[in-house]
Amino acid sequence: DRTLQAGPGGLTYTTKPFAADRVLAGPIDATLYATSTRPDTFLEATIEDIDPSGTSTSLTAGGLLGSFRALDAKQTWRAPDGNPILPYHPYTRASVTPVESGRVTRFDIEVFPTFAKVVKGHSLRLTLTTSDTPHLGFAPDQLQNLSGVYQVQRNARAASFVEIPTAPADAFAKTCSICVTAG
């Protein structure tokens, strides 16, 4: 999806081709460590299936307004390694915390749950952007706090990551006639 990757602010990360068919099943978390020059951020994470020819199929996406990054620890689902897999953000006025300019900040983006088969030879790609047009718009006061420079960190002390639950393709019996398979 070249339009998703075009322009300033787009970052892509692609896995090696899968050695065997796999199934993505459930919620996904994209944890980003980033800085901003403004008191807020908007980060959008899109997961795509990439076939060997380079054709992409969008599987799911999610976004986070950085000032709403607070997590409810009791309602956040965690992977076996302890990292969030379904971050729960209260989205209340009381939970709003401005993003401190220049400070490395953690953002846990809830990527909507999905169920998709990724076939052998295909890859997964994470694309990070700073907008979700035309699906999401911001109020004027939000926009003035978003227009700045964001930098995703790429170092051991602030290593961004994605938690994607996968299973072997035969882990789920096909029992519905409307199931969709990517690839």
Side-chain angles (χ1 to χ4, degrees):
D1 183 356
R2 304 284 184 235
T3 58
L4 183 64
Q5 302 159 23
L11 298 175
T12 61
Y13 301 91
T14 306
T15 67
K16 294 179 186 175
F18 281 48
D21 293 356
R22 298 292 290 181
V23 174
L24 277 62
I28 297 170
D29 167 86
T31 296
L32 304 178
Y33 290 90
T35 60
S36 174
T37 60
R38 301 294 299 150
D40 213 342
T41 60
F42 179 75
L43 299 164
E44 176 82 11
T46 301
I47 305 293
E48 298 168 289
D49 177 312
I50 310 301
D51 76 15
S53 75
T55 300
S56 65
T57 303
S58 183
L59 300 176
T60 186
L64 178 66
L65 191 59
S67 57
F68 283 96
R69 70 188 176 279
L71 289 178
D72 181 320
K74 290 182 180 179
Q75 295 192 60
T76 294
W77 294 10
R78 300 205 176 262
D81 61 9
N83 289 320
I85 194 160
L86 181 60
Y88 184 88
H89 303 282
Y91 294 115
T92 62
R93 287 181 188 200
S95 73
V96 172
T97 305
V99 176
E100 188 178 325
S101 182
R103 182 173 181 226
V104 175
T105 303
R106 180 180 173 143
F107 302 96
D108 290 290
I109 301 171
E110 176 187 0
V111 178
F112 295 112
T114 192
F115 186 84
K117 182 178 180 182
V118 179
V119 298
K120 178 181 177 178
H122 285 221
S123 300
L124 286 179
R125 179 170 58 212
L126 168 69
T127 299
L128 301 172
T129 59
T130 58
S131 67
D132 187 15
T133 304
H135 301 107
L136 182 63
F138 298 102
D141 62 324
Q142 290 174 316
L143 278 174
Q144 71 181 2
N145 288 332
L146 292 170
S147 298
V149 176
Y150 311 157
Q151 292 183 329
V152 174
Q153 301 300 294
R154 297 184 187 117
N155 61 69
R157 291 189 332 241
S160 300
F161 60 90
V162 180
E163 286 281 342
I164 301 177
T166 65
D170 61 359
F172 300 93
K174 186 173 180 180
T175 58
C176 79
S177 61
I178 61 168
C179 295
V180 177
T181 302

